Amino acid sequence: MARSGAGLVEGGSGGLKKGPWTQAEDKLLVDHVRRHGEGNWNAVRRETGLQRCGKSCRLRWANHLRPNLRKGPFSPEEERQILRLHGLIGNKWARISSHLPGRTDNEIKNYWNTRLKRRQRAGLPLYPPDIEREIALLRAQNINPFADADGGVSLPPPLLYDAGNPFALPPAVPLPPSGSHSPLINQSYPLLNQMQGMQQQVFHLAGGHHQSPQQQPVFHHHQQHDGGAALGHGGGGGGFVSSGLPPLPTRAHELPSNQFDTSSSGSGGLLESLLLGDDHHLPRQHNPTMVKVNSMPALTYRDAGSRQPVHGGAGAGSDSDEASHCQPGEDIHHGAKWNFTFGRTQKTTRCKRDHRLTKHVVASGNRCVSEDFKPAKRRTPSEAGISDLFSGVAPGSTPGGWFSACGGSTAPSPGPSSAITDEEFNLEMQQFMSLLPLSIDEHSWNT
DNA sequence: AACGTTAGCAACCGCCTGGCG
DNA sequence: GCGCCAGGCGGTTGCTAACGT
């Protein structure tokens, strides 16, 4: 990679500096935005002398300097929201972040990737059962609203198919022999198979039209064995599946993150809108974190290592984020205390690093290779909860401890938010599954 | 204390899209 | 229609702190 370390001064193009930002650079950028607002990032260099490219300025502003950013560990509800959204739309970090006030796409992406590695290493599915259930039901319930704006009925999207996701299965395509299934499909992602069948059935019963074979994407099952090399865009080049539940097709409204408002916390409307693939029609609340900054709220920052604020006041925004209730220069979120500084963010965290999982699992492909698996050196309550969740928890039991327990803020996650009972869900699943070519054993999610 | 390992994060890169002339 | 430019997105990489041995 082009980065040459923390001490680097100049990059290769035009003498532009790369690497970590200094406090002085941050101040220049903040002052510029204060005067001119966001946008026109390339002008920053001209007008401030800041030796950074426009893209770098934009990134620095968006991820670290803009007001009302929310730092610190994700709350359990935020984690659930991320899981839900990711299950529905995949690696659309900007879109996901648009529904999490104060969170950046980069932050969410990092969170997800870390979590993904962690769970892959542990051989665990990515989504808690209740989340998977929510996603499955929401998709099933919204299986037929894919009507074109002009009234024409569009073909049902391959809800659980994504070319970039080797775990996704296309509708109405006979599954490969079980022997060729990825172990993760059969064991760690059994619900995918179930849901796939369920959605097909729901759509069929709703009078929908199946895609013709020509219209269906070909399921390249062998991708699972390519070590991730064949992953498509959504899967990224990281060499492993990005999502157990592939993104829904959308109408390709790739809106920049800053153009999003934050939807209401009511997941129903949000999810419905996401299912419809039309973010423009989402009912939204005003999101103070996404405003176009014309007059810059006072920022709070302090010298790294200093307890004294250097400038301005904190939480200038009027939103209800926790940050706005914190003392200047100090933001406490869910047990972690953060000092917002210019330069690298200094954090004093009470959230111990709770996982010791090797990165090379990522390179090894999309499943946990036995020789790669090393038990975590330390086992925190949250990790124990994750492991226990899939080792013997009955389907439908509340997945307490699923979400990270950083900072002791983890109230146990609430039970499945789906309205149906576990028994109802299981019954529905059995009914749907009976129509699928998979054996009942292959559908079992209690592995 | 030194070293190795790992997670988390910041920042970079390439690619894509939309606006504009 | 085409090219240029700015902005945005997703993926990747390197650094650093924390922790174990």
Side-chain angles (χ1 to χ4, degrees):
Chain A
M1 200 170 167
R3 292 176 63 190
S4 55
L8 82 180
V9 175
E10 289 188 355
S13 60
L16 293 179
K17 185 179 176 184
K18 294 182 181 179
W21 283 63
T22 65
Q23 293 183 31
E25 289 176 318
D26 282 340
K27 191 168 189 318
L28 282 174
L29 179 56
V30 168
D31 287 343
H32 175 85
V33 175
R34 216 178 250 149
R35 286 194 301 267
H36 302 96
E38 295 183 43
N40 204 9
W41 296 110
N42 285 332
V44 177
R45 183 185 178 192
R46 291 193 303 269
E47 299 182 11
T48 68
L50 186 59
Q51 294 301 302
R52 295 277 185 172
C53 69
K55 292 177 70 170
S56 184
C57 292
R58 185 186 65 82
L59 208 61
R60 182 66 182 174
W61 173 260
N63 289 339
H64 300 284
L65 301 177
R66 68 179 165 93
N68 298 324
L69 275 179
R70 188 176 185 176
K71 292 285 186 177
F74 288 96
S75 71
E77 186 48 43
E78 283 178 313
E79 292 180 346
R80 294 181 67 86
Q81 186 77 336
I82 292 170
L83 289 168
R84 287 191 201 104
L85 292 167
H86 188 273
L88 285 165
I89 64 177
N91 294 5
K92 301 297 181 185
W93 308 120
R95 295 180 69 179
I96 292 173
S97 69
S98 72
H99 298 292
L100 291 162
R103 299 296 189 178
T104 68
D105 53 354
N106 206 39
E107 198 175 8
I108 294 170
K109 181 172 56 182
N110 284 334
Y111 163 78
W112 182 265
N113 287 337
T114 299
R115 180 179 180 279
L116 185 67
K117 292 168 191 172
R118 211 158 59 203
R119 296 197 61 77
Q120 283 203 319
R121 173 152 195 82
L124 298 171
L126 294 178
Y127 302 96
D130 63 325
I131 295 289
E132 288 192 347
R133 233 171 287 156
E134 285 183 47
I135 296 165
L137 288 169
L138 283 161
R139 287 183 174 184
Q141 290 165 4
N142 288 272
I143 197 74
N144 60 348
F146 292 91
D148 294 332
D150 58 4
V153 178
S154 59
L155 291 168
L159 290 177
L160 284 176
Y161 174 81
D162 181 86
N165 189 334
F167 291 145
L169 300 175
V173 173
L175 293 171
S178 60
S180 65
H181 280 181
S182 161
L184 284 176
I185 288 184
N186 289 336
Q187 297 168 14
S188 298
Y189 294 87
L191 201 56
L192 294 176
N193 301 337
Q194 299 160 14
M195 286 160 48
Q196 190 255 340
M198 179 175 75
Q199 289 164 345
Q200 270 186 256
Q201 284 303 314
V202 170
F203 182 79
H204 181 73
L205 294 172
H209 300 81
H210 283 296
Q211 284 180 292
S212 68
Q214 291 81 1
Q215 290 165 318
Q216 290 179 7
V218 177
F219 180 57
H220 299 291
H221 196 76
H222 63 275
Q223 287 178 336
Q224 298 163 28
H225 307 290
D226 290 343
L231 286 174
H233 180 71
F240 50 88
V241 62
S242 63
S243 164
L245 295 165
L248 281 171
T250 67
R251 295 175 191 171
H253 288 153
E254 288 295 339
L255 295 179
S257 60
N258 283 350
Q259 293 174 13
F260 281 111
D261 282 332
T262 302
S263 75
S264 66
S265 57
S267 60
L270 162 64
L271 293 173
E272 287 177 11
S273 299
L274 288 169
L275 284 164
L276 289 168
D278 191 345
D279 286 340
H280 292 297
H281 297 155
L282 288 173
R284 301 184 190 282
Q285 294 174 338
H286 173 66
N287 179 4
T289 71
M290 299 298 174
V291 297
K292 194 84 172 178
V293 174
N294 291 322
S295 75
M296 178 60 191
L299 279 180
T300 295
Y301 56 94
R302 61 164 64 110
D303 289 323
S306 165
R307 301 290 301 173
Q308 297 303 315
V310 172
H311 177 275
S318 59
D319 64 295
S320 59
D321 283 355
E322 289 178 81
S324 61
H325 304 304
C326 295
Q327 292 301 310
E330 186 175 75
D331 194 21
I332 299 175
H333 289 300
H334 308 289
K337 182 165 63 179
W338 293 75
N339 294 335
F340 288 134
T341 67
F342 283 137
R344 287 184 87 85
T345 301
Q346 305 293 313
K347 73 173 175 180
T348 306
T349 177
R350 302 182 207 121
C351 179
K352 285 181 175 288
R353 292 173 185 273
D354 54 351
H355 303 287
R356 286 287 172 267
L357 304 168
T358 58
K359 284 184 176 179
H360 62 273
V361 168
V362 174
S364 72
N366 55 20
R367 53 181 167 166
C368 184
V369 182
S370 60
E371 60 265 28
D372 281 337
F373 185 85
K374 299 176 184 175
K377 294 176 182 174
R378 280 161 295 178
R379 183 177 162 93
T380 65
S382 71
E383 189 171 4
I386 290 171
S387 298
D388 294 341
L389 189 59
F390 289 93
S391 59
V393 177
S397 58
T398 301
W402 177 274
F403 299 101
S404 70
C406 289
S409 66
T410 29
S413 62
S417 57
S418 139
I420 67 165
T421 66
D422 298 323
E423 290 74 18
E424 290 169 343
F425 179 79
N426 290 338
L427 180 58
E428 285 186 50
M429 280 300 183
Q430 289 175 15
Q431 292 170 346
F432 289 130
M433 286 153 50
S434 67
L435 299 168
L436 293 177
L438 288 177
S439 70
I440 190 70
D441 288 339
E442 289 173 315
H443 287 297
S444 171
W445 58 78
N446 284 325
T447 55

